């Protein structure tokens, strides 16, 4: 296990005062210890090749036609949106079978997560800040969000197969732990958590510790035993579920996410919720997409079908990869990570390289996936275990 406080200070921790402004104003020291979020890069232009972006886990398909019409028809953007996003919460409540009062919206699932951390974890005691436990590697925004909230991140390494080590995570919980983050399917490695695993884990977690089940890719899951956060939140008052419209619904650019929790938690979350975080354009798009959920699900299935083709193709080529239940695959390439990303760029494919750990490749257009498989067929280095 590692803590963000164990990381060495960077030069920005002790940078001289800004003489250009003459103010001497300095940022909080924690900024020098936090990683920078690295968004997926666009593909380079290669003459004679169509470029494809496979670096950000975006839906390769645009929003539904009805959603695009709804976006174009929204003319009230000179007014502030409904701060309670009543229409969206009402629609979501009917879709999920939960009370509208159990839903708190945010600017994407990351915005909803930041609201959770601002509410339940931070710098309550200068000498002993709150702790947030999460698997690593997992969603790269976790250490940033945790650090900015004023809490200490406790990272528990994932297993060699990319799964959460829930036993180790349970052991990492101390009297300072306020929040635990579970990412399922885990981004960027891909495996899910099963219901039995999470139920067993929750039995070991003190009831005052909030357990966040981050299900940004839930719609792509096909594993029969996968956990369903909505089911568990009903039984556990300390569970919060995160979901988003960015992936399955293809609304990443509009930033619509939400959390679901019992009212004992949502009454506090509403205090920290960012006012007007979801615009009326975004709300109308999300509501319309939900009202055409059959079409959304058909599109998701087409991506799942492509994922199945890619996974089968990789394994036929002799590649060892973790279980893939999101809209991406993980190649544990170790020291060859950057080389593979460079080779992909030469073919007008952008992929997401993580240091010397591995490469995450989103499931994109059919032609992009085929070109990716061709690269893997010619690449001489196969993934290392882990």
């Amino acid at each position: 296990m590692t803590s963000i406080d164990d990381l060495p200070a960077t030069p920005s921790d002790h940078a001289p005062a800004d003489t250009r402004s003459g103010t001497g104003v300095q940022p909080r020291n924690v900024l020098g210890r936090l990683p920078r979020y690295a968004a997926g890069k666009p593909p380079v232009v290669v003459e004679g090749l169509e470029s494809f972006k496979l670096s950000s886990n975006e839906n390769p398909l645009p929003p539904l036609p009805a959603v695009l019409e709804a976006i174009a028809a929204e003319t009230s953007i000179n007014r502030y949106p409904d701060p309670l996003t009543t229409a969206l919460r009402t629609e979501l409540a009917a879709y999920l079978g939960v009370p509208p009062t159990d839903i708190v919206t945010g600017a994407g699932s990351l915005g909803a997560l930041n609201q959770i951390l601002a509410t339940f974890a931070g710098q309550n005691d200068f000498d002993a800040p709150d702790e947030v436990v999460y698997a690593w590697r997992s969603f790269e925004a976790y250490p940033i969000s945790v650090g900015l909230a004023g809490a200490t991140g406790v990272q528990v390494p994932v297993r060699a197969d990319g799964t959460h080590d829930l036993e180790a995570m349970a052991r990492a919980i101390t009297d300072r732990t306020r929040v635990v983050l579970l990412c399922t399917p885990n981004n960027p490695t891909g495996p899910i958590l099963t219901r039995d695993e999470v139920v067993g884990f929750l039995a070991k977690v003190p009831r005052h510790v909030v357990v966040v089940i981050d299900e940004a890719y839930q719609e792509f899951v096909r594993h029969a035993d996968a956990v369903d956060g909505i089911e568990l939140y009903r039984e556990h008052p300390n569970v919060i579920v995160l979901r988003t419209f960015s992936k399955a619904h293809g609304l990443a650019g509009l930033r619509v996410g939400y959390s679901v929790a019992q009212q004992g938690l949502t009454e506090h979350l509403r205090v920290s919720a960012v006012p007007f975080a979801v615009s009326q354009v975004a709300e109308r798009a999300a509501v319309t997409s939900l009202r055409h959920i059959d079409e959304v699900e058909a599109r998701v299935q087409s991506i799942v079908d492509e994922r199945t083709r890619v996974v089968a193709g990789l394994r036929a080529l002799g590649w060892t990869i973790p279980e893939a239940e999101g809209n991406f695959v993980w190649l544990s390439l170790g020291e060859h990570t950057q080389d593979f990303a460079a080779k992909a760029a030469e073919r007008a494919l952008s992929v997401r390289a993580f240091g010397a750990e591995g490469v995450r490749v989103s499931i994109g257009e059919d032609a992009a996936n085929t070109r990716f498989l061709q690269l893997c067929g010619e690449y001489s280095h196969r993934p290392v275990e882990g």
Side-chain angles (χ1 to χ4, degrees):
M1 291 176 291
T2 57
S3 161
I4 192 70
D5 290 339
D6 296 330
L7 298 176
T10 65
S12 60
D13 278 324
H14 309 290
D18 187 348
T19 56
R20 293 171 299 174
S21 65
T23 63
V25 173
Q26 290 291 290
R28 294 166 55 203
N29 283 342
V30 68
L31 265 68
R33 297 192 296 271
L34 296 178
R36 273 49 173 178
Y37 185 85
K41 295 180 180 179
V44 298
V45 176
V46 178
E47 186 176 354
L49 289 176
E50 181 181 3
S51 298
F52 295 105
K53 185 182 178 188
L54 305 179
S55 56
S56 294
N57 288 353
E58 296 156 330
N59 191 321
L61 302 171
L64 297 171
V67 174
L68 293 175
E69 291 174 8
I71 291 172
E74 182 56 62
T75 60
S76 65
I77 55 176
N78 58 308
R79 305 293 184 184
Y80 288 109
D82 172 11
L84 297 178
T85 51
T86 304
L88 177 55
R89 290 191 303 111
T90 300
E91 200 74 30
L92 274 171
Y95 172 65
L96 298 172
V98 305
T101 49
D102 286 6
I103 302 170
V104 180
T105 57
S109 58
L110 179 56
L113 172 62
N114 288 337
Q115 292 169 178
I116 294 168
L117 295 172
T119 303
F120 298 110
Q123 193 79 26
N124 286 320
D125 185 329
F126 185 79
D127 294 323
D130 295 338
E131 293 179 346
V132 177
V133 175
Y134 54 91
W136 197 252
R137 177 167 289 275
S138 192
F139 182 31
E140 63 184 310
Y142 287 165
I144 303 171
S145 294
V146 170
L148 289 176
T152 295
V154 178
Q155 299 177 348
V156 179
V158 296
R159 296 190 182 98
D161 61 358
T163 59
H164 284 45
D165 187 342
L166 291 182
E167 292 184 5
M169 292 182 72
R171 292 194 299 269
I173 295 173
T174 70
D175 57 2
R176 291 167 53 189
T177 305
R178 296 293 176 268
V179 177
V180 176
L181 307 178
L182 304 179
C183 187
T184 177
N186 187 50
N187 174 23
T189 60
I192 52 95
L193 288 164
T194 68
R195 184 187 191 282
D196 288 347
E197 286 176 327
V198 177
V199 168
F201 176 74
L202 289 171
K204 302 174 184 176
V205 177
R207 291 176 64 84
H208 69 272
V209 173
V210 172
V211 178
V212 178
I213 303 178
D214 187 345
E215 295 185 320
Y217 302 91
Q218 183 270 341
E219 293 90 344
F220 301 96
V221 173
R222 295 296 181 268
H223 195 297
D225 299 322
V227 66
D228 180 348
I230 298 300
E231 176 187 339
L232 288 191
Y233 109 92
R234 305 178 200 276
E235 305 167 5
H236 299 272
N238 62 328
V239 165
I240 302 178
V241 181
L242 282 180
R243 291 191 179 178
T244 183
F245 283 82
S246 295
K247 309 302 181 181
H249 293 265
L251 299 179
L254 288 182
R255 314 308 302 131
V256 191
Y258 58 97
S259 63
V260 183
Q262 294 187 24
Q263 292 180 48
L265 300 184
T266 58
E267 64 178 330
H268 303 302
L269 283 172
R270 294 192 197 288
V271 176
S272 66
V274 177
F276 313 122
V278 178
S279 71
Q280 52 269 71
V281 175
E283 180 176 23
R284 186 165 182 171
V287 167
T288 304
S289 199
L290 279 174
R291 291 176 178 172
H292 293 78
I293 194 62
D294 289 347
E295 295 174 62
V296 172
E297 290 173 348
R299 289 186 167 200
V300 168
Q301 186 58 49
S302 71
I303 295 171
V304 170
D305 291 343
E306 270 298 283
R307 181 187 72 196
T308 300
R309 179 173 78 91
V310 169
V311 169
L314 287 170
R315 290 177 174 159
L317 292 169
W319 287 67
T320 300
I321 63 170
E323 171 190 29
E325 288 288 340
N327 65 338
F328 54 90
V329 294
W330 172 253
L331 309 180
S332 184
L333 284 157
E335 64 182 4
H336 305 294
T337 294
Q338 299 301 324
D339 177 64
F340 183 91
K343 293 291 194 301
E346 292 172 0
R347 298 176 182 235
L349 299 175
S350 67
V351 298
R352 182 67 176 87
F354 292 84
E357 298 176 57
V359 172
R360 187 194 68 197
V361 184
S362 308
I363 301 300
E365 296 85 346
D366 293 5
N369 302 329
T370 297
R371 193 183 303 169
F372 165 62
L373 286 173
Q374 291 171 344
L375 168 61
C376 290
E378 298 169 11
Y379 196 69
S380 57
H381 302 289
R382 294 296 187 261
V384 298
E385 289 297 325

